[in-house]
Amino acid sequence: MNDSLIMRVQRVRHRTVGATIFSGRALDSKGKPVPNAPNYGVTLQTRIAAGGVQQGQWWCIVGKSVPVEYEVDGYIVREHRIFAIDAELLRPSGEHIVQLLSTNPAFPGIGEVKARRLWEQLGESLYCSLDQSDIDTLGGVVGEDLARALITGWSQFGNADTLRWFQRIGLNLRMSRKLLDVYGSEAFNTIQSDPYRMLAFGMSWSAADTLAIQHFGLLDDDERRLIAAVESVMYEAFDAGHTCCERQTVEVALQRLVGKALTVKAISLAQDHGCVHIFGDRFQALGPMLIEQSVTNSIQTRIGREEQILDEQAVNAFLARFEHKEAASLGLTSFALNEAQREAVFAVNRHPLVIITGGAGVGKTTVLKSIETMLDQGGKHIYAMALSGRAAKRLAEATGRSAMTIAGFLRNVAPKGLPADSVLIVDETSMLDILLAYKLLKAIPESCRLILTGDPAQLPPVGPGLTLHALVSSPGVPMVELTETKRFSGAIAAGAQAVREGKWPLSLPESSTEALAFLPCALDDIADTVLRLYQADPDNTQVLTFTRESGVASSKVLNALCQRSLAEQATRLLVWNDEHERYEYSGLRLGEPVICCRNLYDSGLQNGSLGRIESIVDPPQPIYGPRGEPKGQALAWVIWDDGERRPVTEEVLDAMELAYAVTVHKAQGSQFPRIIVPVYGAKNVDRTMLYTAITRAQGQVILVGDEEVARRAVEAPPHVSRRQVALAVMMEAAQCS
């Protein structure tokens, strides 16, 4: 027999295209929690809840309730499960207005707790109270002062009809907040005038098209629809890394969206309205075109002139002093930069823009150290940076001077203005996408000199475009390539160079004692083999994987395996859960390696920082800042890779993951004594992935798995070669004009 229950959504556990699973609490007819009611786990099919399920909503659920019992991290969980055969949304969650009131600066003093209290006590009447400036009702919940702040903020920002409309059509919170931030009280009218504006805020074509046709009655051949279809195709390509597209690609994609009969008309309208630029057989959306053109212009202003910092004799004298000091600091009788490194120093002295390239371990950071010293002697203001916090940290360690992330420079330094005699040094620029390059170049004056270093054979940008790759192939750009390997030699250097050139090494030993080895094994045996090899020398070993979530040897799979095998008996790090009023296992244990996956500047951590849990604090202890201000509670202590011991607060814990295995992307810019690389048919494996992985090692590289997969990946063109970009074409055209 089926039950019919009123239920409040406590937490959305899992969401797929076909269904949503949530934790629910049973309510009575007045909305009060039912005493002693069990916890519920509800599966609600998308066809029943087309508008989406959100925390805080009230649903009438119809379905059979079945008691279940299962174990999670050592705890026995008991609940009743319901697969809903029917459901009705009784009351929206109010999350749109809760999030608006708690996150927008128009409502000072209203945090999430107070905003949620307003909704819980007033429900839909909250909108009326705000619209009518009902200070008595609002003040009865949050006090008179905050009620006045609410009314003031609402008068300049809020719009009840717009929020209700967002709720009714099931618009997700992230998108509704974006729309309100940009359009404010005019959000509904703006979207009504052109529903396809939603595409710019991340809505899919199918969702925007359904909204336009069903809610606003647009016809299939409406100009707004056809132009938006072209823009959708172009920006989908942009999200995939391309800044332009071939005509055939655009036409095929458009036929899927608007049909073959309307494709030609759509392209014509988009071109007439300036939404797409056509050059030769390629299409480029207006936004990417302006971005690449701006980068081209900024580069051209620097390569079109020569501005010597020191005279040639002074540079030679400087190099002699630098080499003498470097020999002394290294404890050597002599030290000399090679010919290419010296050429790079002279090029930087002469040109306002220089690109320094070369494979891993060829001495790029050493030459940067000499360049920074010379620039300092020349009275220049130096700003050194890299894409990731870990790469910036390594740059600072190698040069002995401060370095920062590009994001940190743009956020904290550029807004204050740069001196005219500034020099920007950007390391690891193979991963610099065109959007970040555009922001960086727009943020600095034309007088600012620019030094870009990187290796086009390493991982390309995650974002769109190919900045370094396009510039190294452009005429007129001053460039120096370093080729002499400094970091490592022998088998690793030879193997890395072969992979870089697209050649699979003729023979790799199948011995785990060799400097570079490949141990073939079946797909199902890769994880166990990696574990066995890791156990041989865990203190000096890092496993590098191609994927984080999917695959037989993803970092998720390998971390779980290593934890079960190596830390099963270790003390668990527990965290108090207010909702369930109990301690829950965090997924981490004493002594385990961890990685920070976000930049936490206040805690001294960067995305990619590695560490090991040294101790667990039980019970958690309060910690304080230098002026005695509370800084949360220490749940544990971690020794990080910079040698610092730092407390694990809840904020830090939220950013931490296991790090027996990390992705190659996370490891770019890092070095490890010994690495193990599981090789299998992941979609993203290519020459650049394997080359970057191999070159992270200082002493040993062991590849494990399918050698044929590795061979094919190395010998095939890298995935980056499939990207369609226009920057190189623009650079060439600018040189010819």
Side-chain angles (χ1 to χ4, degrees), residues 50 82 102 173 176 224 351 426 663 722:
I82 300 177
S102 63
L173 289 171
S176 66
R224 291 168 292 182
H351 299 291
V426 187
T663 63
R722 304 172 191 168

Side-chain angles (χ1 to χ4, degrees), residues 236-347:
E236 185 176 341
F238 192 63
D239 290 341
H242 310 287
T243 63
C244 60
C245 290
E246 294 180 350
R247 173 182 288 272
Q248 183 180 6
T249 301
V250 175
E251 290 177 346
V252 170
L254 273 176
Q255 288 172 17
R256 290 198 300 268
L257 300 187
V258 299
K260 189 172 183 179
L262 292 173
T263 292
V264 173
K265 182 179 179 181
I267 292 172
S268 178
L269 284 169
Q271 191 173 11
D272 290 345
H273 284 76
C275 300
V276 66
H277 173 64
I278 301 177
F279 59 102
D281 203 38
R282 292 188 178 183
F283 286 44
Q284 190 167 32
L286 179 62
M289 182 188 75
L290 294 176
I291 289 170
E292 286 192 313
Q293 191 61 63
S294 176
V295 171
T296 298
N297 295 341
S298 185
I299 297 295
Q300 290 294 329
T301 61
R302 290 172 170 81
I303 66 175
R305 63 182 194 265
E306 284 196 14
E307 295 173 358
Q308 195 163 271
I309 300 172
L310 305 173
D311 62 47
E312 191 168 318
Q313 185 176 354
V315 176
N316 279 315
F318 155 75
L319 286 172
R321 292 193 302 273
F322 175 82
E323 290 173 339
H324 178 73
K325 288 182 179 178
E326 196 69 7
S329 68
L330 295 172
L332 303 174
T333 55
S334 65
F335 173 85
L337 296 173
N338 61 41
E339 185 178 344
Q341 289 175 315
R342 294 176 67 88
E343 182 187 347
V345 175
F346 277 99

Side-chain angles (χ1 to χ4, degrees), residues 99-405:
Q99 294 301 323
L100 172 66
L101 297 180
S102 63
T103 62
N104 196 280
F107 306 99
I110 305 295
E112 186 167 348
V113 172
K114 290 186 176 67
R116 200 171 295 284
R117 187 189 306 155
L118 282 162
W119 176 259
E120 291 295 336
Q121 293 193 24
L122 302 179
E124 287 286 334
S125 68
L126 174 59
Y127 292 113
C128 296
S129 296
L130 291 167
D131 286 343
Q132 297 169 11
S133 301
D134 185 353
I135 195 167
D136 292 335
T137 299
L138 297 170
V141 181
V142 296
E144 186 175 331
D145 290 342
L146 287 180
R148 293 187 187 280
L150 277 167
I151 291 167
T152 300
W154 190 257
S155 66
Q156 63 176 313
F157 192 85
N159 186 296
D161 289 340
T162 299
L163 287 171
R164 285 172 174 145
W165 180 68
F166 287 164
Q167 196 88 54
R168 189 170 64 251
I169 66 171
L171 195 67
N172 68 55
L173 289 171
R174 183 168 173 267
M175 192 173 298
S176 66
R177 283 159 66 178
K178 283 183 181 180
L179 288 167
L180 289 170
D181 286 343
V182 174
Y183 300 124
S185 59
E186 290 299 311
F188 178 80
N189 293 334
T190 304
I191 298 305
Q192 185 179 37
S193 67
D194 185 359
Y196 293 97
R197 291 178 189 268
M198 303 289 280
L199 294 170
F201 292 86
M203 182 175 277
S204 68
W205 166 262
S206 60
D209 201 34
T210 300
L211 180 71
I213 293 171
Q214 293 185 1
H215 285 271
F216 295 108
L218 269 67
L219 300 177
D220 286 352
D221 61 350
D222 189 291
E223 285 193 6
R224 291 168 292 182
R225 180 174 188 261
L226 298 182
I227 292 171
V230 177
E231 291 181 320
S232 177
V233 169
M234 298 306 300
Y235 282 104
E236 185 176 341
F238 192 63
D239 290 341
H242 310 287
T243 63
C244 60
C245 290
E246 294 180 350
R247 173 182 288 272
Q248 183 180 6
T249 301
V250 175
E251 290 177 346
V252 170
L254 273 176
Q255 288 172 17
R256 290 198 300 268
L257 300 187
V258 299
K260 189 172 183 179
L262 292 173
T263 292
V264 173
K265 182 179 179 181
I267 292 172
S268 178
L269 284 169
Q271 191 173 11
D272 290 345
H273 284 76
C275 300
V276 66
H277 173 64
I278 301 177
F279 59 102
D281 203 38
R282 292 188 178 183
F283 286 44
Q284 190 167 32
L286 179 62
M289 182 188 75
L290 294 176
I291 289 170
E292 286 192 313
Q293 191 61 63
S294 176
V295 171
T296 298
N297 295 341
S298 185
I299 297 295
Q300 290 294 329
T301 61
R302 290 172 170 81
I303 66 175
R305 63 182 194 265
E306 284 196 14
E307 295 173 358
Q308 195 163 271
I309 300 172
L310 305 173
D311 62 47
E312 191 168 318
Q313 185 176 354
V315 176
N316 279 315
F318 155 75
L319 286 172
R321 292 193 302 273
F322 175 82
E323 290 173 339
H324 178 73
K325 288 182 179 178
E326 196 69 7
S329 68
L330 295 172
L332 303 174
T333 55
S334 65
F335 173 85
L337 296 173
N338 61 41
E339 185 178 344
Q341 289 175 315
R342 294 176 67 88
E343 182 187 347
V345 175
F346 277 99
V348 168
N349 180 64
R350 189 166 58 249
H351 299 291
L353 182 142
V354 175
I355 295 177
I356 302 172
T357 69
V362 294
K364 291 192 291 292
T365 50
T366 300
V367 81
L368 283 180
K369 183 178 181 181
S370 66
I371 287 170
E372 288 195 26
T373 308
M374 181 196 70
L375 292 171
D376 196 37
Q377 181 178 317
K380 299 295 182 182
H381 289 81
I382 305 166
Y383 301 92
M385 63 197 70
L387 191 68
S388 70
R390 187 167 177 81
K393 176 173 167 289
R394 280 198 60 249
L395 178 61
E397 291 170 348
T399 61
R401 295 170 181 266
S402 63
M404 66 192 88
T405 63

Side-chain angles (χ1 to χ4, degrees), residues 51 55 73 85-86 138 183 223 256 260 297 339 347 356 388 393 403 421 441 462 483 499 513 538 669 729:
Q55 181 180 340
D73 300 325
I85 60 172
D86 195 11
L138 297 170
Y183 300 124
E223 285 193 6
R256 290 198 300 268
K260 189 172 183 179
N297 295 341
E339 185 178 344
I356 302 172
S388 70
K393 176 173 167 289
D421 59 352
L441 292 169
V462 175
T483 57
V499 170
T513 62
V729 175

Side-chain angles (χ1 to χ4, degrees), residues 302-589:
R302 290 172 170 81
I303 66 175
R305 63 182 194 265
E306 284 196 14
E307 295 173 358
Q308 195 163 271
I309 300 172
L310 305 173
D311 62 47
E312 191 168 318
Q313 185 176 354
V315 176
N316 279 315
F318 155 75
L319 286 172
R321 292 193 302 273
F322 175 82
E323 290 173 339
H324 178 73
K325 288 182 179 178
E326 196 69 7
S329 68
L330 295 172
L332 303 174
T333 55
S334 65
F335 173 85
L337 296 173
N338 61 41
E339 185 178 344
Q341 289 175 315
R342 294 176 67 88
E343 182 187 347
V345 175
F346 277 99
V348 168
N349 180 64
R350 189 166 58 249
H351 299 291
L353 182 142
V354 175
I355 295 177
I356 302 172
T357 69
V362 294
K364 291 192 291 292
T365 50
T366 300
V367 81
L368 283 180
K369 183 178 181 181
S370 66
I371 287 170
E372 288 195 26
T373 308
M374 181 196 70
L375 292 171
D376 196 37
Q377 181 178 317
K380 299 295 182 182
H381 289 81
I382 305 166
Y383 301 92
M385 63 197 70
L387 191 68
S388 70
R390 187 167 177 81
K393 176 173 167 289
R394 280 198 60 249
L395 178 61
E397 291 170 348
T399 61
R401 295 170 181 266
S402 63
M404 66 192 88
T405 63
I406 298 175
F409 170 79
L410 291 173
R411 181 178 59 251
N412 302 321
V413 179
K416 300 174 184 177
L418 271 61
D421 59 352
S422 299
V423 181
L424 249 64
I425 298 174
V426 187
D427 196 21
E428 300 284 357
T429 51
S430 73
M431 293 190 73
L432 182 67
D433 66 49
I434 196 65
L435 286 172
L436 197 53
Y438 168 77
K439 292 177 183 177
L440 190 61
L441 292 169
K442 290 290 285 185
I444 61 177
E446 283 190 10
S447 61
C448 182
R449 300 169 83 101
L450 196 61
I451 302 167
L452 305 177
T453 73
D455 182 3
Q458 290 196 32
L459 292 175
V462 175
L466 291 171
T467 307
L468 181 67
H469 302 71
L471 293 180
V472 297
S473 63
S474 299
V477 178
M479 186 179 71
V480 178
E481 183 178 11
L482 308 180
T483 57
E484 185 178 328
T485 302
K486 300 278 187 178
R487 186 194 305 163
F488 41 58
S489 58
I492 295 178
Q497 186 60 32
V499 170
R500 190 174 192 268
E501 295 172 355
K503 304 170 185 174
W504 183 247
L506 291 178
S507 62
L508 291 177
E510 298 181 10
S511 169
S512 60
T513 62
E514 298 289 335
L516 175 62
F518 200 115
L519 306 186
C521 68
L523 190 66
D524 293 341
D525 295 333
I526 292 178
D528 289 335
T529 305
V530 167
L531 173 63
R532 176 174 55 81
L533 292 167
Y534 182 87
Q535 289 174 303
D537 189 5
D539 292 337
N540 292 305
T541 302
Q542 182 62 59
V543 180
L544 300 183
T545 70
F546 303 146
T547 58
R548 181 174 179 268
E549 294 283 347
S550 61
V552 296
S554 66
S555 60
K556 181 178 180 179
V557 167
L558 293 175
N559 279 322
L561 177 62
C562 288
Q563 184 177 68
R564 285 197 303 271
S565 302
L566 305 176
E568 184 69 28
Q569 303 305 316
T571 304
R572 299 185 301 177
L573 174 55
L574 302 178
V575 184
W576 180 256
N577 185 312
D578 285 329
E579 181 182 351
H580 295 108
E581 297 184 343
R582 69 185 184 202
Y583 281 100
E584 293 185 348
Y585 176 40
S586 66
L588 303 174
R589 296 173 183 253

